[in-house]
Amino acid sequence: MSAPFRFSAEPLDLAALQRDLRDDSCGGFAAFEGWVRNHNEGHAVTRLEYEAFAELADKEGTRIVQAAIEKFGVTRAACVHRIGSLGIGDIAVWVGVSAVHRDEAFRACRFIIDEVKHRVPIWKKEHYVNGDSGWVNCERCAAPPAHDHEHAHHHEGGDRPQSAVWGRSPSPVPDYSRQVALREVGPAGQARLRAASVLVVGAGGLGVPVLQYLAGAGVGRLGIVDGDRLEPSNLHRQTWYALADCGREKAALAAGRVRALNPEVRVEAHALRLDAGNAEHLVQGFDLVLDCSDNFSTKFLLNDVALRTGKPVLFASVYQYEGQLQLVAGDASSPCLRCVWPEATRDGLIGNCAEAGVLGPVPGVFGSLQALEALKHLLGLPGLAANEMLIFDLVTLSTQRLRARRAPDCVAHARAAGPAVAAAEPEGLEARFGSLADAAAAGFTLIDVRDSQERIAEPMPGSLHLPMSKLLMQAPELDLEGRYLLVCATGRRSGAAADLLRSQGFRACRSLRGGLKALKSIA
Ligand SMILES: [Zn+2]
């Protein structure tokens, strides 16, 4: 059987699709066809192009079809979405469901098309009779489902061009068209930004421009850590805030500004100072960390967390008219702050803004550079390498890119390597757990390798479904370092699957010993 959700660059073969879902136990079959029509919101449309962010779309689409199978108890279901260029009357999306009775077939079919429309990151470029064209699908479609209620969807009765949404809606919606127009961004890049998360440590002179630009760009989730309250002396460089806000916590103020600028961004404010006790926990769950702090203890703490967790941290430091940027990749071979500055481990060696003085635009320039490098990093564009430092003197306007070297005697690297090497040894192939909940609590993502029929007979909530037949065909799109627990009925297939995945580089995947049968014998 073919994948439950897939894209097709070719016109659909309806007979083959239907044949694939035929089952002798089924008395009902329901299908939905979405056609390309010749108009949209008063525009005459001549043809369409569909583009998908395949990495995310495949996963989300598969999740939707599987959820429909479980939710409605149907026998088989599939959804195929066209990509590429389509003419008027072409089938753009097809959903088919076969079930024992017609009612669940209808309902599952409706569920799948509605969810696909709202959740799968697919964009549509309409070409109009007058020669114009535009990407019209709503960027918010790819927002996670939990986020859906926070914004209105403008999809009932067909997708409308952004301009029409603007004219009709009582409040404007974020519009990323000026950056999506860049070839390096495009709809796929925008989806990448929306799927990304960035932790910003410090909401001051560097953090303000960083947060403004990341929120404006539509980075999906921002964390803000700052333990300070706003003071009048901050405002000459932290010009996002108001004089009347003085005395209030900066983390909360900045989060409020982010929400006002872009309500689509999920923002978390942490009104506390980063310390050894909370740093690792705060950094977890973010793709990238930006150090916008003004003190060495925070910078070196983040440096050490980067090495321990492997999470990249982009540092910016400003001193009077000069500043520098450095990306610490967090791996064993790239240099870190302590490789470059082995002595500068205490505050007070170089003054911060309070002691040394600074002109407002100086942190503004470096914060802007940091935001730019962060966006480039998230978009996969070339930028500051992990083995260099950018030094920018804003008096002479001279820039230097210096080679940063991995110091063989770096204490931070040595410390991170110590216990981490032992932990990085691959664990045994099989793992024992008392229940699937225990495995999830231990940080494993469950993968059901049984076939669809077994899965229907005995659902495994919260698991991904990657049947053995599919794993044998191609390597799955999973995180190489991810902790996956493969599960089947007896542990035999999952053991073979785990062995296979490890040979493909999925080092941390394991198999549930004894499978579901062993869990039942415990219960
Ligand atoms: Zn180092």
Side-chain angles (χ1 to χ4, degrees):
M1 234 178 97
S2 314
F5 180 90
R6 58 192 189 274
F7 290 103
S8 171
E10 304 297 324
L12 307 184
D13 177 350
L14 294 184
L17 288 168
Q18 195 181 335
R19 209 161 42 235
D20 227 20
L21 297 184
R22 190 157 294 166
D23 189 295
D24 288 344
S25 71
C26 293
F29 173 77
F32 170 82
E33 295 176 7
W35 299 350
V36 177
R37 65 177 177 217
N38 66 0
H39 68 278
N40 194 7
E41 285 291 311
H43 297 264
V45 174
T46 55
R47 65 186 182 89
L48 282 185
E49 279 169 62
Y50 277 101
E51 184 175 323
F53 183 21
E55 288 166 46
L56 287 181
D58 264 340
K59 271 187 209 152
E60 195 69 5
T62 303
R63 224 175 270 144
I64 290 167
V65 176
Q66 276 158 3
I69 292 174
E70 282 180 21
K71 189 177 161 89
F72 300 99
V74 298
T75 309
R76 292 183 187 183
C79 176
V80 188
H81 204 297
R82 283 290 310 278
I83 46 173
S85 187
L86 279 75
I88 304 301
D90 283 357
I91 296 177
V93 56
W94 184 90
V95 179
V97 178
S98 48
V100 175
H101 301 111
R102 66 179 182 276
D103 187 50
E104 55 261 32
F106 279 130
R107 287 163 60 205
C109 189
R110 173 74 197 241
F111 172 86
I112 291 170
I113 187 60
D114 284 350
E115 294 293 305
V116 165
K117 278 290 246 181
H118 284 83
R119 283 164 54 185
V120 176
I122 300 168
W123 294 266
K124 175 163 92 167
K125 189 178 200 174
E126 288 185 340
H127 294 263
Y128 306 115
V129 169
N130 65 10
D132 280 356
S133 67
W135 291 102
V136 297
N137 223 4
C138 159
E139 254 110 33
R140 289 165 299 286
C141 287
H147 194 48
D148 274 359
H149 64 277
E150 289 173 25
H151 55 73
H153 271 274
H154 303 276
H155 286 270
E156 302 313 316
D159 302 329
R160 293 167 191 153
Q162 287 285 341
S163 54
V165 170
W166 232 97
R168 174 178 303 219
S169 163
S171 53
V173 295
D175 179 343
Y176 309 109
S177 57
R178 295 301 185 274
Q179 72 190 29
V180 171
L182 288 167
R183 202 151 51 104
E184 294 75 17
V185 181
Q190 191 61 47
R192 211 175 268 274
L193 294 180
R194 181 179 29 244
S197 57
V198 178
L199 182 70
V200 179
V201 179
L206 293 164
V208 162
V210 158
L211 288 165
Q212 286 176 325
Y213 286 123
L214 296 189
V219 170
R221 189 163 68 93
L222 293 174
I224 304 171
V225 182
D226 196 309
D228 289 341
R229 290 173 184 274
L230 188 68
E231 293 175 26
S233 66
N234 298 155
L235 289 169
H236 87 299
R237 62 190 184 281
Q238 300 170 27
T239 54
W240 209 10
Y241 304 126
L243 192 57
D245 292 331
C246 286
R248 294 182 56 198
E249 286 171 341
K250 277 203 258 189
L253 284 173
R257 294 289 178 178
V258 167
R259 289 190 191 101
L261 177 64
N262 189 343
E264 288 184 351
V265 174
R266 284 180 291 159
V267 56
E268 301 159 18
H270 301 278
L272 47 82
R273 193 181 168 92
L274 198 81
D275 62 34
N278 61 27
E280 210 163 314
H281 179 70
L282 284 166
V283 161
Q284 294 298 339
F286 288 93
D287 299 325
L288 176 68
V289 180
L290 299 193
D291 159 60
C292 301
S293 71
D294 64 352
N295 64 85
F296 277 96
S297 57
T298 300
K299 290 180 193 299
F300 283 97
L301 176 60
L302 279 175
N303 179 74
D304 299 348
V305 169
L307 294 185
R308 273 206 304 277
T309 60
K311 198 76 70 178
V313 181
L314 179 61
F315 291 92
S317 302
V318 170
Y319 178 69
Q320 293 187 340
Y321 300 96
E322 185 176 304
Q324 62 182 57
L325 290 189
Q326 187 179 349
L327 175 68
V328 170
D331 58 46
S333 57
S334 310
C336 76
L337 290 195
R338 290 190 205 272
C339 287
V340 181
W341 315 105
E343 304 297 328
T345 50
R346 295 191 314 274
D347 277 328
L349 291 182
I350 298 179
N352 59 22
C353 293
E355 294 137 21
V358 70
L359 283 177
V362 174
V365 165
F366 283 92
S368 300
L369 275 174
Q370 224 177 345
L372 179 64
E373 285 303 310
L375 292 175
K376 283 157 57 185
H377 180 88
L378 297 174
L379 290 166
L381 300 177
L384 194 66
N387 62 353
E388 61 178 359
M389 283 185 297
L390 175 74
I391 298 181
F392 196 174
D393 179 335
L394 293 176
V395 172
T396 61
L397 297 175
S398 63
T399 58
Q400 283 176 283
R401 288 172 83 160
L402 299 183
R403 175 66 62 89
R405 287 180 201 287
R406 165 77 170 85
D409 56 349
C410 169
V411 290
H413 267 98
R415 219 167 26 221
V421 164
E425 283 298 314
E427 300 166 289
L429 200 63
E430 291 191 317
R432 285 171 198 270
F433 285 103
S435 71
L436 294 178
D438 288 351
F444 282 97
T445 301
L446 302 177
I447 296 184
D448 185 355
V449 301
R450 299 172 303 161
D451 65 36
S452 304
Q453 299 299 326
E454 292 175 275
R455 189 171 167 82
I456 292 160
E458 189 177 2
M460 197 187 294
S463 64
L464 301 175
H465 187 209
L466 283 175
M468 193 66 191
S469 52
K470 195 175 166 193
L471 284 174
L472 291 171
M473 299 283 287
Q474 60 183 61
E477 282 187 30
L478 295 172
D479 179 3
L480 280 176
E481 302 299 325
R483 285 164 67 78
Y484 299 107
L485 184 67
L486 309 187
V487 183
C488 71
T490 64
R492 198 175 301 159
R493 272 174 298 174
S494 60
D499 211 3
L500 175 71
L501 288 185
R502 284 211 177 173
S503 74
Q504 293 168 343
F506 300 90
R507 284 164 48 93
C509 80
R510 306 186 75 183
S511 160
L512 178 67
R513 188 184 173 90
L516 293 173
K517 208 167 134 195
L519 297 182
K520 278 178 218 149
S521 66
I522 293 169

